[in-house]
Structures are given as C-alpha cells and as structure tokens.
C-alpha cells in the first residue's frame, strides 16, 4: 500500500521503497516534481476537462506547439490520447488510413521479434506472442515479423525488411532498445538502415518512443542518435514527467493531409473521452519547460556515467551475463537454468528486492535499472548492492 512519493522514493505501509524502475518507466525527473505539481494545481483551478472534438484549449495548443518544436524534423501534427497503447494504436490506424485514402493497397504492418507495443488488440498483434496474449490470439492480426538484429544477425533483419517493405503499410519499431522484450539493445546504425529501407520502399516508419522518449536512452528521443525522423512518433509515459496519463502521436504533413478532406470517409476516426485532458496537458507543458530550463541533458549524462561505473563489477561476475547499458538504462541477465520471461526466480526476486527496500521488477531473469533522473550515487549503490546479493542467492 503506497501512500506517498518523493523524488526517487515511495512510502508504503511496510516502509520506504527506492523506485529503481521509475514506477513502470514513467517517472522521469522524480516523483512530484514541484513545477509539474504546481502546473497541475493551477490548471485544476481553471478547467478540468472538456470535449476535444470541435473544441480546443490553451494547454493542448501550447503543448502541441512545444512538441513539434522538439520532435524530429518533418513531424508537424499532434494527436492526443491517454496511454502508450493508444498512442501506438492511433499510429497503426494513421498508417492504414494514409494508404487507404490514396487507394493504395498497403495494409501490412512489419514489427520486430520480441517487440512490445501495448495491450490493446492492435498493439498486441504487433507485439511478440506469448503467454501474456495467447488467450486473445484469435483476435490478433498477422504482422510480418523481422528477426531481432542481434550482433552478427543485423544483415538478416535488413534483408527481410527489404523484401517486406515493398508493399507494407509501415514498420513499427522501438528505437534502439526493446523494453518489455528484455531490454534488448541494438545500435543506431541498424535503426538508420531500417529507416533508409523503409524510405526507399515507400513504407512508413513508426517509432514507438513510449519507453525511450524523454531521455531514457541518453538523448531526448532515441531517434536522434540514429539521425532519423520517423513518419509517426508515439509518446506517452514520460510525456507528463510520469505524473498523469497522457499520450501523443505525432505525424508528418503528408499523413495529416491524406486524412484532411471534405470527404467524410477520409476522416481520421479515433476519439476517446479524455483526449487532451487539460490537466494532463498542463503537466506535460510543465515537463517540457523543465527540459527547457533545467540542465536535464547534463543530469542524464551524469546518471549514465554513474550507471556505467556500477555495472563494472558485474561485467566479470560469473553469475551474470549480457551486462549492458543504453543511456540511463542498465540491464543484466542472471544465469539461471530456465532463462526467459517465465523464469522461476522472477517473483522471488521481486519479493527479495522489496524486502530490501528496492522497487525492482525483473523481466524473467533479466534485471534492469531504469531510475528517475534525480537518483543519487548513494541511492544507486543501494540498488546495485541489492542486485549483487541477489546474484549470490539466486544464480
Ligand atoms: C515501447 C512501449 N510501447 C507501448 C507501451 C504501452 O504503454 P501503456 O502501458 O502506457 O499502454 C509500453 C509500455 O511499457 C512500451 O514500453
């Protein structure tokens, strides 16, 4: 039972917990950043909620303008929804509508092996299949699945895309790191090559930056490291600094124009009650002001360095393998006899960490640390001492 959050800490009925996974990767600057909380309070006094069909409001307008200002070039339009899943669902619908409205028969989606894009039917279809969606399989549509570009296998992935992209609607990717799939990292050159193949073959590129956005990979957006600009960009989690649910799907003028018509059948049909909730938009606007005014980039670089230092002792520890880092995220695999998402130790590990005051939630035998950017060196030591102890107990 959690009663309070402050910086990197949560207060529970059983004591304090260090939030080393940013409460499912959403909290960026820390719990209850004063500027975000102040913005929420101010907006709550003005306008709580209003229909966003045929109406707009200042927080949504300001936020859209600010997002366009920081997003990769070519992205010029913003569509709001309320979760990472819906931001990707919207992206898939935009891609299909783009082709349908031009009478071009491109309907297939290409996605990566091990991908995770959410838990709606469309995003489950694009994501990896497994125990978590087997029951819903009859509802899911087929996608073209590219092998994950693991070291040495990149060419295979690119070759498959070359064939698939010729008549596909879009390639959907998590840029540089697959999160729920096990914190699997691939290099910017591969992302750039994927983008180039899409462009040459006319397929749209959808970047799902729901997890990677807002600094996690060391830059504001992961796409920046590959120097690419996708046709569609999905944002959620860190958009409000993690304080309130809000998502945005950004797209190019071409995609907007394909839907902008007096022919009602060309409309982009997607609406939900809380689209662009004013309080959530105000929180996101405050988040972007923090990025503008505070040395967040420096903070992220420093956190990356601290994380790297703490990984060093595990690189030679026989109980762990695949010790890795991207920006502020680290991950390492505990050697167990039954590796994978359903590894027997998972729940035990979570309980073990919790008993030590740490909120860590391994993905199977993969331990990862994705802390809020305010975490200190001393707090990181607590996390990694816990991980070392887990190695002694469970490997
Ligand atoms: C890459 C990615 N896309 C989409 C989602 C779904 O986001 P939400 O849980 O907000 O629906 C997640 C959630 O972890 C994610 O990591």
């Amino acid at each position: 039972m959690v009663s309070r959050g402050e910086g990197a800490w949560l207060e529970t009925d059983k004591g304090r917990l260090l939030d080393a996974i940013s409460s499912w990767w959403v909290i960026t600057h820390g719990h209850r950043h004063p500027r975000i909380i102040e913005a929420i309070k101010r907006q709550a006094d003005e306008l709580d909620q209003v229909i966003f069909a045929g109406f707009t409001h200042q927080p949504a307008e300001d936020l859209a303008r600010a997002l366009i200002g920081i997003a990769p070039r070519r992205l010029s339009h913003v569509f709001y929804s309320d979760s990472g899943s819906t931001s990707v669902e919207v992206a898939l619908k935009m891609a299909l509508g783009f082709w349908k409205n031009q009478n071009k028969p491109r309907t297939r989606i290409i996605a990566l092996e091990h991908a995770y894009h959410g838990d709606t039917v469309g995003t489950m279809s694009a994501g990896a299949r497994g125990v978590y969606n087997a029951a819903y399989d009859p509802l899911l549509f087929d996608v073209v699945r590219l092998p994950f570009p693991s070291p040495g296998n990149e060419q295979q992935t690119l070759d498959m895309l070359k064939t698939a992209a010729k008549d596909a609607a879009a390639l959907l990717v998590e840029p540089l790191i697959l999160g729920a799939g096990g914190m699997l990292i691939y290099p910017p050159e591969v992302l750039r090559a994927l983008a180039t193949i899409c462009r040459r073959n006319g397929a749209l590129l959808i970047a799902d930056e729901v997890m990677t956005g807002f600094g996690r990979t060391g830059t504001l957006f992961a796409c920046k490291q590959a120097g690419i600009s996708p046709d569609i960009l999905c944002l959620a989690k860190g958009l409000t600094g993690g304080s309130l649910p809000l998502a945005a799907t950004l797209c190019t003028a071409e995609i907007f124009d394909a839907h902008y018509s007096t022919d009602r059948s060309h409309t982009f049909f997607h609406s939900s009650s809380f689209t662009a909730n004013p309080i959530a938009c105000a929180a996101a606007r405050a988040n972007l002001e923090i990025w503008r005014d505070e040395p967040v980039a420096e903070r992220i670089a420093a956190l990356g360095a601290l994380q790297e230092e703490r990984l060093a002792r595990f690189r030679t520890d026989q109980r762990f393998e695949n010790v890795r880092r991207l920006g502020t995220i680290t991950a390492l695999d505990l050697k167990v006899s039954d590796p994978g998402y359903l590894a027997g130790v998972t729940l035990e590990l979570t309980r073990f960490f919790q008993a030590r005051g740490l909120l860590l939630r391994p993905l199977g035998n993969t331990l990862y640390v994705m802390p809020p950017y305010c975490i200190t060196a001393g707090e990181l030591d607590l996390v990694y001492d816990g991980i070392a102890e887990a190695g002694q107990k469970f490997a």
Side-chain angles (χ1 to χ4, degrees):
M1 183 69 82
V2 182
S3 53
R4 201 179 158 78
E6 176 107 40
W9 291 90
L10 294 167
E11 274 176 31
T12 83
D13 57 345
K14 297 192 181 70
R16 291 207 317 158
L17 269 186
L18 183 51
D19 188 355
I21 59 161
S22 301
S23 281
W24 247 346
W25 322 342
V26 301
I27 299 291
T28 47
H29 312 293
H31 287 274
R32 290 174 47 249
H33 189 291
R35 287 182 71 169
I36 295 176
I37 298 303
E38 183 51 38
I40 290 171
K41 287 180 180 168
R42 238 182 297 122
Q43 185 56 42
D45 271 342
E46 296 283 333
L47 176 66
D48 49 356
Q49 163 66 11
V50 67
I51 180 173
F52 204 66
F55 291 89
T56 188
H57 50 75
Q58 208 56 50
E61 294 292 310
D62 292 348
L63 177 60
R65 214 159 281 124
L67 283 173
I68 296 304
I70 58 170
R73 67 193 156 72
R74 299 203 307 127
L75 296 169
S76 53
H77 291 76
V78 177
F79 190 94
Y80 291 115
S81 62
D82 27 48
S83 74
S85 300
T86 55
S87 76
V88 179
E89 200 78 27
V90 160
L92 295 173
K93 288 172 68 174
M94 280 181 177
L96 269 282
F98 174 74
W99 295 113
K100 170 80 167 51
N101 290 346
Q102 300 175 79
N103 292 319
K104 294 192 178 149
R106 284 181 179 253
T107 56
R108 245 165 342 139
I109 299 295
I110 310 170
L112 280 182
E113 181 190 16
H114 307 306
Y116 179 76
H117 296 290
D119 274 345
T120 49
V121 168
T123 56
M124 277 194 292
S125 300
R129 306 298 168 86
V131 65
Y132 26 85
N133 50 33
Y136 325 115
D137 194 62
L139 296 180
L140 307 187
F141 55 80
D142 286 336
V143 300
V144 179
R145 189 80 56 196
L146 303 182
F148 178 75
S150 52
N153 294 319
E154 298 92 342
Q155 198 54 47
Q156 195 195 348
T157 310
L158 300 178
D159 288 345
M160 246 189 98
L161 179 62
K162 276 180 199 152
T163 309
K166 287 187 202 317
D167 58 357
L171 167 67
L172 167 63
V173 289
E174 292 161 86
L176 303 186
I177 179 166
L178 275 56
M183 299 298 159
L184 304 174
I185 299 170
Y186 64 97
E189 307 83 68
V190 174
L191 179 58
R192 199 175 315 128
L194 292 171
T196 303
I197 295 169
C198 283
R199 198 177 57 248
R200 289 200 180 131
N201 291 280
L204 298 175
L205 177 66
I206 305 171
D208 175 355
E209 294 235 22
V210 168
M211 181 190 85
T212 53
F214 296 98
R216 293 289 178 200
T217 68
T219 43
L220 179 62
F221 302 118
C223 283
K224 184 162 192 282
Q225 295 180 41
I228 61 156
S229 181
D231 300 284
I232 305 179
L233 175 71
C234 307
L235 302 173
K237 292 189 187 279
L239 175 56
T240 59
S243 61
L244 285 173
L246 181 70
T249 309
L250 279 64
C251 73
T252 59
E254 290 76 21
I255 293 171
F256 178 85
D257 290 345
H259 292 89
Y260 194 67
S261 170
T262 50
D263 178 349
R264 293 290 307 276
S265 73
H266 284 208
T267 304
F268 182 63
F269 286 109
H270 191 100
S271 56
S272 66
S273 315
F274 288 101
T275 295
N277 171 263
I279 302 174
C281 286
R285 191 172 56 181
N287 171 43
L288 293 197
E289 286 166 6
I290 292 167
W291 275 89
R292 186 194 62 199
D293 300 341
E294 295 188 15
V296 184
E298 287 81 350
R299 225 173 267 158
I300 288 170
L303 174 55
L306 289 175
Q307 288 271 66
E308 186 64 38
E309 279 168 27
R310 274 146 194 85
L311 273 189
R313 68 165 142 161
F314 298 97
R315 291 198 187 276
T316 50
D317 188 329
Q318 295 306 309
R319 290 170 284 225
F320 295 93
E321 57 191 346
N322 303 320
V323 179
R324 53 203 186 273
R325 178 180 73 88
L326 179 64
T328 70
I329 308 168
T330 60
L332 61 175
D333 301 338
L334 187 64
K335 283 190 194 160
V336 292
S337 56
D338 59 343
Y341 192 78
L342 297 178
V345 290
T346 311
L347 292 178
E348 267 184 273
L349 277 169
T350 300
R351 279 193 287 267
F352 170 86
F353 290 127
Q354 213 157 304
R356 273 154 191 75
L358 301 171
L359 173 46
L360 283 170
R361 200 169 180 279
L363 296 158
N365 62 314
T366 298
L367 309 181
Y368 70 91
V369 183
M370 197 189 303
Y373 308 148
C374 63
I375 197 166
T376 64
E379 288 163 348
L380 278 179
D381 286 335
L382 298 176
V383 176
Y384 286 93
D385 286 348
I387 291 176
E389 264 186 65
Q392 284 160 17
K393 188 169 159 74
F394 294 102

